């Protein structure tokens, strides 16, 4: 399912035609915003890779190449929706309002979290989750709760809530994903399973995860599923918009397999030259989601001023996070004890007091 | 009068019912807990009385149950999960240890995880493999979890309510061989805090400590010992994490000797942790090393052999003899 060809021409495939009016409703400003989201996130992402090389981050998992799948789906979500990301959804969390320096703080290992999902400014974006697939049943449980509390399926699309959960082709092999689908189908949850098939789980190709299309799996649980060109931001937007609205209207869970490509390494610790070819990378470079959207917008008449402005915003964001993360303070040692439990816990409190006293016993106040 | 005599399982049921009546956000999830009332009937009639949205007969998938319970807690519910048997908790182990236990910490306190995981555990019921195990040490070892185990109907009634009221995740270990044991429940008055260790029999020669089904074994041993002129103090641990050491230390300071008993294999278990802590804190009061009576370091055997595996009063008394011989 695709609206925009890799060369930027608007040519909806037959599967895309039924969703045509969702795309037709987007004005120039909305379309340009999607390009802006993708390009600015890429500037941030590339800056983050450099920050890791400079020793500012422990690790960086690039979102390079997956911007269309992420931006289209995130822009399709409504403000009241809740987002459960995995750990590579930098464009998604940006669109939802999370300060991206928080993601850098997480990958600097200055925190295990980074932002407060209950703070409205973060757009109901839950934290990144590093154990693959574990966030998927959380999303299903959350969506079950929406149903039990009548926060969905009242017929008001501006208020009815729904959930998107992101995961990848590697995580698709995890039992948690399958169990979450069983629960979602049984409890008819207002939920979209958004699978980014980026073809590689570190070094293992998707063909090892799945002998049949991954989209067949969710369909097998009775969950309506679309397989889309994940490098077409409009395909991602339209499919997500339709499915989320069907789910929030009481239609039950939906699933999307966005076929995309991890153009970068798994993380900065990875070396893709050991397991994939330059030819493959070059073939996918020709399907770059940002170049595609740029060509599409240029065909519609977007001028160089617009693109220069976007580039400038990307550079400004990169410079901003670079400055802020370099000055990021290490957490206070006492913080590791602070939130292990919500309620008082004598043992943890004793250990916190012991460490403070121990550190204070050294000349100058620290070991 | 608020006293009522009932079996442990019914006390659990009454405690769950009261928690559900008092807080509409409390909900139960598990396999066969609705129409059937659970394989041990702990949740009998609760679905009938509270409805299918508050008592869920879930799909048969433990990771899915705990994972979705976490999501429900994020949505403001207080889920109480039943794991059908001890040996079936492991499919959910990842969700419990990497997620449930760590989410409040990961969120730097921005969210709470009021989830209770009920696990019927332990032997003495003649069941087949995976149905008689004692996996409490895995959870007691995990920061972020609280682990408790009641040994009497009265504690079952109160501790389940207190566990549900806790804003932290609680692993609630139910000694399944005690489900049918009757006892007096004081529904008007809470006897002790959720995490309090309790001295339940006074004595002067040896302190016997354990939890769950072992408590009745320790009481039995104490009464046999009494006939032989040995006075045993019996301590019910009740809370496995955190551990309320003060009553144990106080008891050991007066007796000078301690025997610990548990069903779980001994290596890297509560036994060693408690023995080491007692040695650290009561070294000059001890007349003998703390002796540990535990399951052997083997998989729980076929039930035809369980009487050889499980600590009983005789094995406890053998250890009592050893500490007295110092």
């Amino acid at each position: 399912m695709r609206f925009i060809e890799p060369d930027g021409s608007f040519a909806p495939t037959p599967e895309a035609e039924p969703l045509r009016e969702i795309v037709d409703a987007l004005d120039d400003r909305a379309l340009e915003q999607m390009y802006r989201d993708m390009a600015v996130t890429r500037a941030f992402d590339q800056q983050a890779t450099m920050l890791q090389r400079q020793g500012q981050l422990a690790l960086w998992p690039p979102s390079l190449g997956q911007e269309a799948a992420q931006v289209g789906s995130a822009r399709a979500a409504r403000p009241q929706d809740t987002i459960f990301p995995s750990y590579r959804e930098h464009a998604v969390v940006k669109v939802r309002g999370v300060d991206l320096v928080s993601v850098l703080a997480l990958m600097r290992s200055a925190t295990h979290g980074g932002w407060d999902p209950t703070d409205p400014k973060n757009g109901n974006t839950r934290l990144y989750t590093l154990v693959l697939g574990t966030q998927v049943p959380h999303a299903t449980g959350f969506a079950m709760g929406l149903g039990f509390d009548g926060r969905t399926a009242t017929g008001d699309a501006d208020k009815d809530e729904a959930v998107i959960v992101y995961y990848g082709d590697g995580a698709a092999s995890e039992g948690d994903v399958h169990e979450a689908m069983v629960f979602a189908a049984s409890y008819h949850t207002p939920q979209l399973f958004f699978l980014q098939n980026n073809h590689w789980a570190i070094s293992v190709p998707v063909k090892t995860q799945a002998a049949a299309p991954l989209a067949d799996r969710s369909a097998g649980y009775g969950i309506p599923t679309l397989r889309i060109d994940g490098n077409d931001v409009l395909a991602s937007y339209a499919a997500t918009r339709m499915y989320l609205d069907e789910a929030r209207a009481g239609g039950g869970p939906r699933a999307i397999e966005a076929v995309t490509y991890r153009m970068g390494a798994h993380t900065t610790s990875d070396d893709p030259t050991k397991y994939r070819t330059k030819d493959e990378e070059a073939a996918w470079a020709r399907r770059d989601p940002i170049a595609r959207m740029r060509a599409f917008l240029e065909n519609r008449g977007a001028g160089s001023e617009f693109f220069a402005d976007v580039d400038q915003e990307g550079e400004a964001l990169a410079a901003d996070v670079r400055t802020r993360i370099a000055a990021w303070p290490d957490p206070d040692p006492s913080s590791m004890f602070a939130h292990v439990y919500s309620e008082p816990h004598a043992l943890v409190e004793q250990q916190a007091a012991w460490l403070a006293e121990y550190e204070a016993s050294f000349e100058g106040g620290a070991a | 009068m608020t006293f009522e005599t009932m079996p442990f399982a019914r006390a659990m049921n009454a405690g769950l019912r009261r928690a559900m009546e008092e807080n509409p956000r409390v909900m139960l999830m598990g396999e066969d807990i609705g129409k059937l009332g659970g394989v041990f009937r702990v949740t009998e009639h609760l679905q009938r009385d509270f409805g299918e949205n508050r008592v869920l007969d879930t799909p048969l998938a433990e990771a899915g149950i705990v994972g979705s319970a976490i999501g429900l807690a994020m949505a403001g519910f207080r889920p109480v999960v039943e794991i059908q048997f001890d040996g079936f908790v492991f499919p959910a182990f990842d969700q419990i240890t990497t997620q449930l236990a760590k989410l409040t910490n990961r969120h730097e306190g921005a969210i709470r995880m009021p989830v209770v995981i009920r696990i019927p555990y332990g032997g003495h019921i003649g069941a087949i493999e995976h149905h008689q195990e004692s996996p409490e040490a895995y959870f007691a070892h995990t920061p972020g979890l609280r682990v408790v185990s009641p040994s009497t109907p009265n504690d079952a009634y109160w501790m389940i309510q207190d566990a549900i009221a806790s804003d932290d995740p609680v692993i609630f270990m139910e000694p399944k061989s005690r489900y049918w044991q009757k006892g007096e429940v004081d529904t008007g008055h809470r006897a002790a805090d959720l995490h309090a260790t309790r001295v339940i029999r006074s004595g002067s020669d040896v302190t016997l400590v354990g939890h769950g089904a072992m408590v009745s074994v320790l009481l039995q041993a104490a009464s046999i010992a009494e006939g032989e002129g040995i006075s045993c103090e019996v301590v019910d641990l009740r809370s496995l994490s955190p551990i309320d050491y003060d009553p144990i230390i106080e008891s050991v300071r007066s007796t000078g000797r301690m025997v610990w008993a548990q069903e779980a294999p001994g290596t890297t278990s509560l036994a060693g942790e408690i023995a080491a802590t007692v040695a650290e804190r009561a070294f000059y009061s001890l007349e003998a090393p703390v002796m540990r009576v535990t399951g052997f370091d083997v998989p729980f055997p076929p039930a035809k052999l369980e009487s050889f595996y499980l600590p009983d009063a005789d094995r406890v008394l053998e250890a009592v003899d050893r500490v007295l011989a110092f």
Side-chain angles (χ1 to χ4, degrees), chain A residues 119-137:
Chain A
D119 185 333
K121 74 178 185 199
N122 293 318
N124 305 324
T125 310
R126 310 303 308 196
L127 292 183
Y128 276 8
T129 303
L130 304 182
V131 183
L132 285 184
T134 50
Q135 78 279 14
V136 185

Side-chain angles (χ1 to χ4, degrees), chain A residues 84 110-118 126-149 151 174-176 179-180 182-183 186-187 335-347, chain B residues 25 27 29 52-53 56-72 74-78 91 94-95 98-101 103-113 142-146 165-169 241-242:
Chain A
F84 284 82
T111 172
H112 288 327
W115 63 90
D116 176 359
T118 66
R126 310 303 308 196
L127 292 183
Y128 276 8
T129 303
L130 304 182
V131 183
L132 285 184
T134 50
Q135 78 279 14
V136 185
H138 302 170
T140 297
F142 191 90
M144 289 164 68
L146 296 180
F148 295 148
D149 278 342
R151 289 161 64 181
E174 293 281 3
D176 277 14
E179 295 189 21
V182 170
F183 277 65
S186 292
Y187 293 100
S335 68
M336 78 172 106
F337 301 99
H339 301 295
V340 183
Y341 296 91
S342 294
E343 297 185 346
H345 193 283
L347 179 66
Chain B
R25 305 307 284 172
M27 57 179 295
M29 307 172 67
E52 293 189 354
N53 282 1
L56 273 57
D57 270 325
T58 64
L60 205 165
E62 288 79 7
I65 297 170
V66 175
S68 55
I70 289 168
L72 281 156
M74 289 173 173
F77 289 84
R78 305 183 82 85
D94 177 35
Q95 282 289 342
T98 75
Q99 304 303 311
L100 182 62
L103 276 161
T104 295
N105 187 59
R106 188 176 303 149
H107 284 78
E108 293 165 2
I111 68 166
R112 298 176 172 216
M113 272 292 124
T142 303
L145 301 177
R146 296 172 183 272
S166 172
D167 279 341
D168 290 317
S241 175

Side-chain angles (χ1 to χ4, degrees), chain B residues 264-316:
Chain B
T267 299
T268 326
S269 67
L270 282 172
E273 179 60 34
I274 289 175
T277 303
V278 169
E280 280 175 8
R281 289 188 53 185
F283 186 72
Y284 290 106
S285 304
L286 283 168
E287 303 290 341
V290 175
M291 293 291 173
R292 294 166 288 163
V293 182
T294 72
F296 299 111
D297 289 298
V298 301
F300 197 98
K304 294 299 179 195
L305 298 175
E306 73 173 315
S307 65
F308 296 97
Y309 174 88
L310 290 166
D312 58 9
D314 286 338
R315 272 172 52 190
V316 172

